[in-house]
Amino acid sequence: MKDGQESKERPVRMTSNKLSVQVAINSWGLIVERANKIFSNLTDDELLREVAPGRNRLIYLLGHLTAVHDAMFPILGLGERLHPELDAIFVSSPDKTGAQLPPVAELKKYWDEVNGKLLSQFATLSADEWLQRHYAMSEEDYAKDPGRNRLAVLLSRTNHMSYHLGQIALAVK
Amino acid sequence: MKDGQESKERPVRMTSNKLSVQVAINSWGLIVERANKIFSNLTDDELLREVAPGRNRLIYLLGHLTAVHDAMFPILGLGERLHPELDAIFVSSPDKTGAQLPPVAELKKYWDEVNGKLLSQFATLSADEWLQRHYAMSEEDYAKDPGRNRLAVLLSRTNHMSYHLGQIALAVK
């Protein structure tokens, strides 16, 4: 553990840097928990509701969020995706194209799998690694803007999840 | 500038800690900009639209977000609120209670004022100050959980804004 060794020399600074990252991971975890609570209580029929008339159905947003979270594995350098097949239905295409969706039970399982594995993988990255470039950008671009790092991806995806959670809440309250 | 002095001794770590905070502020700023773009393009009449049938109107969410952001000044120890009078209408009460709302032009002005001042105040806090307790909690609670700091408040309010922005988008696209 590089962090652990360095913390003997620089206890305050090291703790601060780790703490910043931990706060960001906590924020992600909190929104995932809120989404879990909502999705786990919805029946198959309820998942077919639209968030507003003519807009996305809850089942589409469940698949969409799962696909976008699954894509975080390669972007964060945390390995291969678990369900790349979801992109064609839930990212590249809008809702209600007539495409056959995976069964609800499968989608709920994927959602849990992807978020569970992400959270455990997050813990394997050191605070410094969170500030290294993400894999969707080149070394050159990172050199120009070191703010485009893994941590920025985490915050961006947390905001994305919050955005859709606000929509989802309209159909379940 | 405490940070500037320390960076000579600990260049890498200091940069890392500041960078984490900067990434969080950038994330906040990005969502504020998106909201700005939407709100500034809406007419007075359009602001009376509901995000979904029977739900909050856009004007209420504009006032709600302004009030919640305004409350960040004391919570983050950045001074007095600019518009505490907004809470009675936009936080303590739901929408459509028959309460007289401030004129749209005033609300839009408050929104810009509050967010503008917040962003400039954010820049006055050092990276370490972002990791100190926020003022809505006691020293005792902070000692139990140092993750409940200013940075956590910033991320929480960014998620809150994203949540409502997702709803707002349903009524403007």
Side-chain angles (χ1 to χ4, degrees):
Chain A
M1 292 297 293
K2 198 176 150 206
D3 281 0
Q5 286 164 9
E6 290 196 4
S7 70
K8 286 170 193 164
E9 296 161 39
R10 303 163 173 166
V12 176
R13 193 65 51 205
M14 196 62 234
T15 302
S16 296
N17 194 21
K18 283 187 86 153
L19 186 55
S20 305
V21 166
Q22 195 53 53
V23 165
I25 295 175
N26 289 352
S27 166
W28 160 271
L30 193 72
I31 309 297
V32 168
E33 271 174 42
R34 285 186 197 158
N36 278 347
K37 202 170 224 172
I38 291 177
F39 285 135
S40 65
N41 284 324
L42 289 168
T43 64
D44 291 17
D45 273 355
E46 288 169 336
L47 277 165
L48 297 178
R49 285 187 203 149
E50 294 171 333
V51 297
R55 312 310 293 258
N56 290 326
R57 292 172 300 171
L58 297 175
I59 191 169
Y60 179 83
L61 289 177
L62 170 59
H64 176 68
L65 288 172
T66 306
V68 168
H69 291 187
D70 190 48
M72 291 168 74
F73 289 109
I75 293 175
L76 297 176
L78 295 172
E80 295 293 312
R81 297 184 57 164
L82 305 180
H83 296 289
E85 75 282 3
L86 296 176
D87 277 17
I89 309 173
F90 295 109
V91 180
S92 322
S93 308
D95 191 15
K96 296 174 273 184
T97 54
Q100 176 80 33
L101 304 188
V104 167
E106 289 294 296
L107 275 181
K108 285 184 173 178
K109 199 181 73 178
Y110 299 164
W111 166 258
D112 286 334
E113 264 177 29
V114 167
N115 290 319
K117 189 165 180 196
L118 275 175
L119 203 57
S120 68
Q121 295 274 63
F122 288 170
T124 67
L125 294 172
S126 72
D128 278 347
E129 283 168 335
W130 276 103
L131 297 175
Q132 285 161 11
R133 81 180 167 98
H134 60 74
Y135 287 64
M137 76 182 314
S138 66
E139 282 285 4
E140 293 76 28
D141 286 342
Y142 175 73
K144 281 182 225 152
D145 181 3
R148 297 176 68 179
N149 50 36
R150 285 185 173 106
L151 189 63
V153 171
L154 180 65
L155 297 186
S156 164
R157 296 309 181 275
T158 307
N159 287 334
H160 174 260
M161 180 165 41
S162 298
Y163 181 97
H164 288 303
L165 198 62
Q167 300 176 332
I168 290 163
L170 296 173
V172 298
K173 267 182 195 163
Chain B
M1 290 296 293
K2 198 175 149 205
D3 282 2
Q5 286 163 10
E6 290 195 9
S7 71
K8 286 170 192 165
E9 294 160 41
R10 304 161 170 166
V12 176
R13 192 64 51 205
M14 196 61 235
T15 302
S16 296
N17 194 21
K18 284 188 83 153
L19 186 56
S20 304
V21 167
Q22 195 53 54
V23 165
I25 294 175
N26 289 350
S27 167
W28 161 272
L30 192 72
I31 309 298
V32 168
E33 271 175 42
R34 284 185 198 158
N36 279 347
K37 202 172 222 170
I38 291 176
F39 285 134
S40 65
N41 284 324
L42 288 169
T43 64
D44 292 17
D45 273 355
E46 287 168 337
L47 276 164
L48 297 177
R49 285 186 203 150
E50 295 171 331
V51 298
R55 311 311 293 259
N56 290 326
R57 292 172 300 169
L58 297 176
I59 191 170
Y60 178 84
L61 290 177
L62 171 58
H64 176 69
L65 288 172
T66 306
V68 169
H69 292 187
D70 190 48
M72 291 169 73
F73 289 109
I75 294 175
L76 297 177
L78 294 174
E80 296 293 312
R81 297 183 58 164
L82 305 181
H83 297 289
E85 75 281 3
L86 297 177
D87 277 18
I89 310 173
F90 296 109
V91 180
S92 322
S93 308
D95 191 15
K96 295 174 274 185
T97 54
Q100 176 79 32
L101 304 188
V104 167
E106 288 295 296
L107 276 180
K108 285 185 173 178
K109 198 181 73 178
Y110 298 165
W111 166 257
D112 286 334
E113 262 177 31
V114 166
N115 290 319
K117 188 166 180 196
L118 276 175
L119 203 57
S120 68
Q121 294 275 63
F122 288 171
T124 68
L125 295 172
S126 71
D128 278 347
E129 283 168 338
W130 276 103
L131 297 176
Q132 285 161 12
R133 81 179 168 99
H134 60 75
Y135 287 64
M137 75 182 312
S138 67
E139 282 285 3
E140 293 77 27
D141 286 344
Y142 176 73
K144 282 182 222 150
D145 181 3
R148 297 175 67 179
N149 50 37
R150 285 186 174 106
L151 188 64
V153 172
L154 179 66
L155 297 186
S156 164
R157 296 309 180 275
T158 309
N159 288 334
H160 174 260
M161 179 165 44
S162 298
Y163 181 96
H164 288 303
L165 198 61
Q167 299 176 332
I168 289 163
L170 295 173
V172 298
K173 266 180 196 165

